[in-house]
Amino acid sequence: MPHTPRNARRQFLKTAAGAGLATAGGLAVAQSFDFKPNQRYPDPAVQILDPGFAKYRIYSSTVEQVATGMRWCEGPVYFPDGGYLLFSDIPNNRIMKYDEKTGAVSVFRQPSNYANGNTRDRQGRLVTCEHSSTRRITRTEKNGKVTVLADSFEGKRLNAPNDIVVKSDDTLWFTDPLFGINGEWEGFRAKPEQASTNVFRIGPDGQLTAVITDLVNPNGLAFSPDEKKLYVVEWKGTPNRSVWSFDVGADGVSLSNKTKLIDAADQGALDGFRVDRDGNLWCGWGSNGALNSEPTDVNGRKVHQLKGKPEDLDGVRVFSPQGKPLAHISLPERCANLTFGGPKNNRLYMTSSHSVYALYVEAHGAT
């Protein structure tokens, strides 16, 4: 019989116990919680902000929790040949695997050098941003061998490779902010060697080029379906987190016409995102952690509370190619990143704090 989210959780805990993850692997079982899908169709978690989004909602599809018990989920990538999802659990220094057919969740790689973003190249190989420790971009060959694609620029170590995408010309584009070396939670604290936080391009010849140098801590990135635009999240440097749009030149390398497409003005925390075939941006969303300047009384204590309510912000925010909000998929945890997967490329996988959620939609990933 087909598995349910509850069966998937049982399988995950069974797999974890068998592998000794609760002790040796750092699995925080106490962090898991009992998630129940909405019983009512259509799922009220799918909030339509613009009537035009209705065509992407499946009436009888609901948000499912397919894995839980991680510390900070990131970097989802789907492999159609094997029918499985890989994703990073950064603080636990591992890459996890979710098998669609069985619902089993297991450790794919540990240690992972605090892997963050992952992608699949056009030959079906895993490409990974090793976020801390090694601070490099690697490719896992079909035989399991790990090849280093980039670890330095102009003779100095990269900062902390964060997210990565592949273009149709086999080039790889990745962001290099400071998150993995800012503290001890997602790796090891270290002094940055690069003068700026860049977006890099790895050419087919292996040459590394800094294509954007003026964004403060760039994060998620993606191309439009026709690859004529590159979108990049900037974590800092503007009043709010933003998505910047760049025109890609005919040479496939040069960028111009920097334009702010999305401004997370409601205390939203833009992070990773994906683009569908119609050019819509499906963005990880949640509270940015900003505090009110004045405290409020909470049970006799003066507490500086968050400006935005996480319960209203956590999830996925969908925008049109013009930056218009179309929908919000509400989740019980902040969504850091997402990807399209499934046999038909229409299952949205959302890595969210401790868990991974999934939702079938009438949209398909652009790549």
Side-chain angles (χ1 to χ4, degrees), residues 106-128:
S106 58
V107 175
F108 175 80
R109 176 178 296 162
Q110 188 177 34
S112 66
N113 296 319
Y114 298 93
N116 191 333
N118 298 285
T119 193
R120 187 185 70 250
D121 72 9
R122 291 170 60 81
Q123 290 72 45
R125 298 169 296 189
L126 171 67
V127 181
T128 298

Side-chain angles (χ1 to χ4, degrees), residues 294-307:
E294 296 298 326
T296 56
D297 186 86
V298 179
N299 297 323
R301 299 186 184 94
K302 296 297 183 180
V303 178
H304 289 269
Q305 295 184 313
L306 295 172
K307 285 186 176 180

